[in-house]
Amino acid sequence: MVNLDPNYLKDLKAILYSKRANLYYLEKCRIMVKDGRVIYLTQVKDKYFYYNIPIANTTVLLLGTGTSITQAAVKFLASAGVMIGFTGSNGTPLFAGAEIEWISSKNEYRPTEFVQDWLSFWYDEKIRILAAKDFQKMRITFIRKVYSKDVFFHENGFIDDDYEIQKLLENYDHQISQANTINEILLKEANFTKNLYKISCKKLGLDSFTRERESNDSINSNLNHGNYLAYGLASVTLWALGIPPAFALFHGKTRRGALVFDVADLIKDAIVLPLSFCLSKYNFDDELFRTECIKYFTDYKVLDYMFQSVQYIAKKYSKAK
């Protein structure tokens, strides 16, 4: 019998979002509730197998092709605050009516504190530019943190005191400090990413690389998968804090989920980019890459960093008004 006791459902949110460990990508299965637990059912030949989903310790559930989900399962997932996204095969592209759109719990008992802080400065373009610049500096800080300690990245040349990387980060930090408009920040950001791709190619002994989201080569495929996982965590961060993703800092007002991109960018260059390049030479399939990427997100407390960064910006610039 399914346990729908309100106190039981309330307990599903006992673990803070920033401390949760699990992201799941599932395909060719059915998600349902069995004996008070959310499980997924798969079939191998003539046998059926049930696997438990620890929803209280889960942030994002990506559902690929061949999946179905019951209303009872959605109720439990919503009660636990798990973000649900529907994707194509192997986790990309993301479907749900828009480029970044998620099925989230409609429980409005979320904090109003942070959305009020965010909106108190968001309409002032000068302050929004300062907040956007801070986000980019936080991005640089996280790159330095990961590149300074990760052994696997070091083996492949991604080291924070490597001359080329160090110079690139220093130049970008200086350029961001000097930027006066959002367009300037976006141009500097695009150039920074392009140069980081060039350095990555050099480290891996590749002739060249072109970022193409529709391409099936291993690096582009890895970047797509890793980025969607990062978008999922960014969506969870904003939803938990009650900040609408439309109120972006620098990705533009024409994309409804633009703040999701801003938050995801805090960690993508530090983890997704080098991991995509480094693992391309081992012929990892999509599932193995996702597993490794999720492990990195957990090891480097990515969700914690997203929460801390957004909360810091909200508080810092609400006091500037």
Side-chain angles (χ1 to χ4, degrees):
M1 182 176 178
V2 177
N3 186 355
L4 296 179
D5 178 71
N7 291 324
Y8 171 73
L9 296 179
K10 183 178 179 181
D11 289 341
L12 293 176
K13 291 185 179 178
I15 301 177
L16 293 174
Y17 289 98
S18 60
K19 304 300 181 184
R20 296 188 185 191
N22 298 309
L23 292 84
Y24 285 96
Y25 169 75
L26 300 175
E27 62 182 11
K28 298 180 177 64
C29 67
R30 177 172 173 78
I31 297 94
M32 64 180 74
V33 174
K34 179 178 174 62
D35 299 328
R37 298 175 295 119
V38 177
I39 59 100
Y40 64 95
L41 171 67
T42 63
Q43 182 180 3
V44 179
K45 295 183 178 179
D46 296 329
K47 294 183 178 180
Y48 291 90
F49 297 90
Y50 293 93
Y51 298 94
N52 182 53
I53 302 175
I55 60 175
N57 195 29
T58 298
T59 53
V60 178
L61 183 64
L62 288 172
L63 304 180
T65 55
T67 53
S68 63
I69 186 167
T70 65
Q71 285 186 317
V74 172
K75 180 179 178 65
F76 268 67
L77 290 164
S79 297
V82 178
M83 201 72 67
I84 306 171
F86 290 90
T87 79
S89 60
N90 291 320
T92 58
L94 181 66
F95 302 129
E99 187 172 5
I100 295 295
E101 195 72 46
W102 301 84
I103 298 177
S104 59
S105 167
K106 296 307 175 186
N107 178 359
E108 292 305 314
Y109 293 97
R110 286 175 286 149
T112 58
E113 173 187 359
F114 296 106
V115 66
Q116 290 172 3
D117 287 340
W118 198 268
L119 294 184
S120 72
F121 72 80
W122 189 84
Y123 291 96
D124 188 322
E125 185 174 359
K126 291 182 180 178
I127 296 181
R128 195 166 69 249
I129 290 171
L130 292 176
K133 291 165 74 168
D134 270 6
F135 248 47
Q136 292 305 299
K137 290 179 178 291
M138 290 172 177
R139 178 181 187 170
I140 294 168
T141 297
F142 199 66
I143 292 172
R144 285 180 170 143
K145 175 184 176 181
V146 176
Y147 287 15
S148 69
K149 63 193 300 186
D150 193 85
V151 176
F152 179 61
F153 288 172
H154 285 186
E155 292 172 352
N156 289 279
F158 291 90
I159 307 171
D160 68 317
D161 58 2
D162 173 87
Y163 177 78
E164 287 184 299
I165 292 176
Q166 189 178 59
K167 196 69 177 175
L168 178 63
L169 293 176
E170 288 175 354
N171 287 342
Y172 186 48
D173 197 345
H174 177 73
Q175 290 168 357
I176 289 299
S177 297
Q178 299 301 311
N180 294 312
T181 68
I182 294 297
N183 282 339
E184 280 186 57
I185 294 174
L186 287 171
L187 287 172
K188 301 300 182 185
E189 181 209 20
N191 191 53
F192 167 73
T193 303
K194 182 179 179 180
N195 285 324
L196 193 54
Y197 284 147
K198 287 182 179 178
I199 292 174
S200 301
C201 286
K202 187 175 180 180
K203 299 297 183 187
L204 274 296
L206 304 175
D207 293 331
S208 63
F209 170 75
T210 302
R211 178 66 175 121
E212 295 179 355
R213 287 164 182 79
E214 304 302 321
S215 176
N216 291 323
D217 70 88
S218 60
I219 297 176
N220 273 299
S221 178
N222 290 343
L223 286 169
N224 287 340
H225 291 303
N227 288 348
Y228 278 123
L229 292 174
Y231 298 152
L233 293 182
S235 296
V236 168
T237 301
L238 296 175
W239 178 82
L241 295 176
I243 301 175
F247 292 95
L249 291 180
F250 55 91
H251 266 110
K253 300 178 184 178
T254 59
R255 303 169 80 175
R256 288 189 296 166
L259 187 53
V260 170
F261 294 100
D262 292 349
V263 176
D265 276 355
L266 289 168
I267 60 91
K268 281 165 50 181
D269 291 332
I271 293 177
V272 177
L273 188 152
L275 201 62
S276 297
F277 275 86
C278 292
L279 292 182
S280 65
K281 63 183 181 181
Y282 295 104
N283 296 318
F284 272 38
D285 62 22
D286 296 330
E287 183 178 356
L288 285 173
F289 175 80
R290 280 194 300 270
T291 300
E292 193 66 18
C293 193
I294 291 169
K295 181 180 181 298
Y296 264 75
F297 285 172
T298 303
D299 289 346
Y300 286 99
K301 297 181 171 58
V302 160
L303 201 55
D304 250 343
Y305 192 69
M306 288 180 176
F307 269 94
Q308 291 167 9
S309 300
V310 174
Q311 289 173 308
Y312 171 78
I313 292 296
K315 286 300 176 187
K316 177 180 179 179
Y317 289 103
S318 68
K319 296 176 181 177
K321 291 297 291 179

